[in-house]
């Protein structure tokens, strides 16, 4: 760690080749040659700057503490490259929510109904089936509360729209898992429906009873990956559910305005959704809109109505 912090362009530091491999895997270092060296070169510096920009870090171009800390954090296996971005500006601040290439979405009649199922073969034994199902029911419900899409569990795994399983190592999709921490899970864009979690992780549904220092919150990861299944890519907003990293024993399950506006631009708004249902703390700390804690809910409702109107125009024009 100390050697990385002292590194600068022109230096050679053991381990930089591994950082290059990481940046290449997640879309920041574009190279056909994966035989990386330990040289801190211009290409590596540019990749660091892209990484820092995309994850909302200070743009130092160096391996500072925050950058190395983010690289070492457990994360989703989906690359971070922002292929297509919708932007909006408020209070002079521009933020982004991102999609997969081509902006894919589930193409069904509205209101949409999608099914999900759990693999009968690829699961974990230290959590009961009822515990796992309860976590996913809550995670799907969060997304359903903001868009006109409902999710129901089915026992028919073969024909379910979304297929969930816990896998180890290489498992047939050319995206092998890497053991404890590292990559936690990955899922695929619409309408693939595959959602894979690393069985090697210590998955937790209650940190009160699960004492492991490396325990990962299953509900947080489930909520994040469902966003990918619906068509969202990663967000640069740190509070957003769609931010790519999650720390051990951290819980992040509440959709932020960045998450909501991104998914509503794809599917429209649930007619029962009201921004007032978000807690004041969620709104006041949401970097996507750069709102101060003193912002009144009445003003936020007016803003949300404006964006809801724009989302409806976008939704119907894309049909």
């Amino acid at each position: 760690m100390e050697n990385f912090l002292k590194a600068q362009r022109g230096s050679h530091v053991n381990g930089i080749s591994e950082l290059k491999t990481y940046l290449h895997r997640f879309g920041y270092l574009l190279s056909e040659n994966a035989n990386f060296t330990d040289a801190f070169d211009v290409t590596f510096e540019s990749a660091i700057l892209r990484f820092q920009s995309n994850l909302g870090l200070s743009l130092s171009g160096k391996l500072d503490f925050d950058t190395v800390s983010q690289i070492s954090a457990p994360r989703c296996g989906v690359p971070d490259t922002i292929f297509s971005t919708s932007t909006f500006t408020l209070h002079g601040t521009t933020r982004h929510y991102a999609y997969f290439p081509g902006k894919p979405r589930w193409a069904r009649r509205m209101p949409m109904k999608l099914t999900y199922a759990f693999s009968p073969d690829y699961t974990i034994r230290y959590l009961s089936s009822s515990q796992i199902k309860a976590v996913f029911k809550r995670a799907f419900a969060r997304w359903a509360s903001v868009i006109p899409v409902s999710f129901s569990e089915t026992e028919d795994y073969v024909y379910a729209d979304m297929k969930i399983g816990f896998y180890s190592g290489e498992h047939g999709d050319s995206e092998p898992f890497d053991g404890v921490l590292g990559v936690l899970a990955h899922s695929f864009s619409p309408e693939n429906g595959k959602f894979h979690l690393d069985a090697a992780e210590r998955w937790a549904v209650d940190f009160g009873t699960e004492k492991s220092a490396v325990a990962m919150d299953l509900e947080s990861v489930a909520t994040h990956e469902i966003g990918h299944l619906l068509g969202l890519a990663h967000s640069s907003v740190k509070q957003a559910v769609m931010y790519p990293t999650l720390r051990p024993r951290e819980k992040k399950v509440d959709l932020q305005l960045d998450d909501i506006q991104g998914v509503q631009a794809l599917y429209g708004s649930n007619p029962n959704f009201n921004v007032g249902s978000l807690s004041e703390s969620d709104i006041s700390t949401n970097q996507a809109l750069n709102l101060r804690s003193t912002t009144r809910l009445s003003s936020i409702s007016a803003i949300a109505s404006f964006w809801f109107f724009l989302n409806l125009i976008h939704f119907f024009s894309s049909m």
Side-chain angles (χ1 to χ4, degrees):
M1 178 70 166
E2 185 177 350
N3 289 338
F4 286 152
L5 299 179
K6 296 178 180 179
Q8 56 185 334
R9 191 198 302 180
S11 60
H12 286 70
V13 179
N14 290 337
I16 282 183
S17 60
E18 295 177 13
L19 299 185
K20 288 181 178 179
T21 299
Y22 173 98
L23 293 170
H24 178 262
R25 175 176 183 178
F26 294 110
Y28 298 101
L29 187 59
L30 305 179
S31 173
E32 296 181 1
N33 181 12
N35 295 319
F36 298 117
T37 69
D38 287 326
F40 196 129
D41 49 30
V42 174
T43 303
F44 180 56
E45 183 180 59
S46 298
I48 292 173
L49 283 167
R50 285 191 290 270
F51 178 81
Q52 291 169 336
S53 175
N54 206 30
L55 272 74
L57 305 174
S58 297
L59 301 180
S60 67
K62 297 181 179 180
L63 294 172
D64 53 49
F65 179 84
D66 288 342
T67 301
V68 176
S69 179
Q70 276 297 346
I71 290 175
S72 62
R75 59 161 293 143
C76 170
V78 176
D80 296 341
T81 305
I82 298 179
F83 301 100
S84 176
T85 304
S86 298
T87 65
F88 55 94
T89 302
L90 186 67
H91 300 310
T93 300
T94 300
R95 296 299 181 193
H96 306 268
Y97 46 83
Y99 304 110
F100 290 99
K103 202 175 179 179
R105 60 184 290 276
W106 291 84
R108 308 286 177 87
R109 179 178 296 180
M110 292 293 186
M112 192 181 299
K113 297 181 179 179
L114 298 174
T115 60
Y116 66 92
F118 299 92
S119 170
D121 302 314
Y122 296 95
T123 187
I124 51 177
R125 304 300 178 187
Y126 56 87
L127 293 176
S128 68
S129 175
S130 61
Q131 286 176 307
I132 294 173
K133 289 183 176 183
V135 161
F136 277 86
K137 185 176 181 179
R138 292 194 298 270
F140 277 109
R142 286 190 182 85
W143 291 104
S145 71
V146 301
I147 55 176
V149 180
S150 61
F151 305 92
S152 59
E153 184 191 348
T154 176
E155 297 298 323
D156 192 342
Y157 181 77
V158 173
Y159 290 101
D161 295 311
M162 300 174 175
K163 300 176 173 64
I164 304 163
F166 295 82
Y167 297 84
S168 298
E170 175 58 59
H171 52 281
D173 61 4
S174 300
E175 295 290 340
F177 284 126
D178 53 8
V180 179
L181 304 182
V183 170
L184 304 171
H186 55 237
S187 51
F188 297 83
S189 62
E191 297 182 357
N192 181 293
K194 293 179 181 178
F195 177 169
H196 300 162
L197 301 106
D198 190 346
E201 304 295 343
R202 185 65 187 182
W203 295 106
V205 298
D206 179 5
F207 287 137
T209 57
E210 175 55 72
K211 303 302 182 181
S212 171
V214 297
M216 301 302 304
D217 183 57
L218 180 60
E219 191 169 346
S220 298
V221 174
T223 305
H224 175 97
E225 297 299 334
I226 292 168
H228 286 320
L229 293 176
L230 291 171
L232 289 178
H234 287 144
S235 172
S236 62
V237 179
K238 292 183 180 180
Q239 286 82 4
V241 161
M242 295 311 298
Y243 195 72
T245 64
L246 185 74
R247 305 287 178 177
R249 304 194 66 81
E250 178 185 6
K251 193 173 184 71
K252 185 194 286 188
V253 298
D254 295 323
L255 301 183
Q256 302 295 301
L257 285 173
D258 186 64
D259 304 308
I260 294 168
Q261 288 177 334
V263 76
Q264 286 183 344
L266 288 173
Y267 299 97
S269 176
N270 184 321
N272 297 318
F273 171 72
N274 189 317
V275 73
S277 63
L278 297 176
S279 70
E280 284 196 64
S281 61
D282 289 340
I283 294 169
S284 64
T285 60
N286 190 284
Q287 290 188 352
L289 291 180
N290 194 30
L291 294 174
R292 294 188 175 91
S293 60
T294 55
T295 302
R296 294 180 300 175
L297 284 176
S298 58
S299 298
I300 296 169
S301 296
I303 294 166
S305 298
F306 172 71
W307 283 109
F308 170 56
F309 176 72
L310 290 183
N311 287 338
L312 281 180
I313 294 175
H314 175 86
F315 171 68
F316 285 112
S317 66
S318 64
M319 291 183 67

